Amino acid sequence: MSERRTVPRVDRERQMVDVASRLFGERGFQAVSMDEIAGAVGVTKPVLYTHFGSKEGLYVSCLARLAEPLVKHVQEAVDPGEPPERQLWAGLRAFFDFIAIERERWAALVVQVPPQGPETAAQIARARARVHAALTALLVRAAADVGVTPDLSEEIELQAHALLGACESLAAYAVRHPEVPADVLALQLMNFAWRGFEALLQGRLWLPDGRGSPRERPSMP
């Protein structure tokens, strides 16, 4: 009599998320049913609901599975011993390189209209908060390098939010234009974002009255 083998829960969940990620990546969230996912995995639909609670819950797990390797890929590319601008350059290159590798899944899970439930919103907010914290820390170190007090000022917070938004927007562009190399996207964003931040640190600001004259380097209270 053969012994029945039971797949460990963590392995089964990983299998279900992998299959769902592939199907969402191929056709998008709305076009894929829980019945189809269950059939592809070889389980019943109630098993999916037992593990994830809902289709949105399964989607959130897929999103987390995409975010973790992205964060790891960027972290491994950044050398904390390098100057801040070199760290940002390495991070941007790694980010757009990851988007190029995972274009289909990124398009399906991030760019296309995701489910609008609270679980999805919370997962996206957590991912954005991690990236924003990393960007803020990087910009604070850059400020400290040129003698600006390294406190979390409103100016640096706003710069980090703007850079995060630019990354997300340009990633969506990368999905629509696979012919554009990752290094080109990173270079465009580096020149757009870093040069502006560098000017801020030096006190060179654009002003609405047209003067645009340098002011004293900002001291972060």
Side-chain angles (χ1 to χ4, degrees), residues 20-120:
S21 294
R22 175 176 58 81
L23 293 175
F24 289 150
E26 290 172 355
R27 302 205 311 280
F29 176 82
Q30 300 295 340
V32 178
S33 69
M34 291 290 268
D35 282 315
E36 183 178 359
I37 296 170
V41 176
V43 298
T44 62
K45 186 164 68 171
V47 170
L48 284 179
Y49 282 101
T50 297
H51 282 265
F52 302 103
S54 65
K55 185 180 175 184
E56 183 189 354
L58 177 55
Y59 170 88
V60 168
S61 294
C62 294
L63 193 60
R65 181 68 60 84
L66 182 65
E68 286 304 319
L70 169 59
V71 171
K72 182 179 179 181
H73 188 68
V74 172
Q75 287 175 337
E76 290 177 347
V78 174
D79 180 357
E82 290 285 330
E85 67 271 20
R86 300 299 302 182
Q87 293 184 45
L88 180 59
W89 166 241
L92 290 176
R93 290 180 67 190
F95 174 76
F96 288 111
D97 179 61
F98 184 88
I99 300 302
I101 294 170
E102 294 287 356
R103 182 172 286 109
E104 287 188 0
R105 284 206 300 161
W106 187 270
L109 297 176
V110 181
V111 177
Q112 296 179 21
V113 179
Q116 299 300 306
E119 292 180 83
T120 300

Side-chain angles (χ1 to χ4, degrees), residues 70-211:
L70 169 59
V71 171
K72 182 179 179 181
H73 188 68
V74 172
Q75 287 175 337
E76 290 177 347
V78 174
D79 180 357
E82 290 285 330
E85 67 271 20
R86 300 299 302 182
Q87 293 184 45
L88 180 59
W89 166 241
L92 290 176
R93 290 180 67 190
F95 174 76
F96 288 111
D97 179 61
F98 184 88
I99 300 302
I101 294 170
E102 294 287 356
R103 182 172 286 109
E104 287 188 0
R105 284 206 300 161
W106 187 270
L109 297 176
V110 181
V111 177
Q112 296 179 21
V113 179
Q116 299 300 306
E119 292 180 83
T120 300
Q123 175 61 35
I124 292 175
R126 285 192 295 269
R128 283 177 173 155
R130 290 182 64 182
V131 177
H132 179 260
L135 289 174
T136 299
L138 185 63
L139 298 184
V140 165
R141 288 197 298 273
D145 281 355
V146 296
V148 178
T149 305
D151 296 326
L152 291 180
S153 73
E154 181 179 356
E155 288 180 88
I156 289 182
E157 287 277 347
L158 291 175
Q159 289 280 331
H161 276 296
L163 182 53
L164 176 57
C167 286
E168 292 177 350
S169 179
L170 205 53
Y173 177 89
V175 167
R176 298 192 301 272
H177 297 276
E179 73 281 1
V180 180
D183 278 5
V184 171
L185 296 169
L187 185 61
Q188 290 286 339
L189 186 53
M190 188 71 188
N191 278 283
F192 179 78
W194 185 261
R195 285 306 184 195
F197 183 69
E198 191 175 49
L200 173 67
L201 295 181
Q202 295 170 357
R204 294 185 291 109
L205 306 179
W206 178 90
L207 299 173
D209 61 9
R211 289 184 293 117

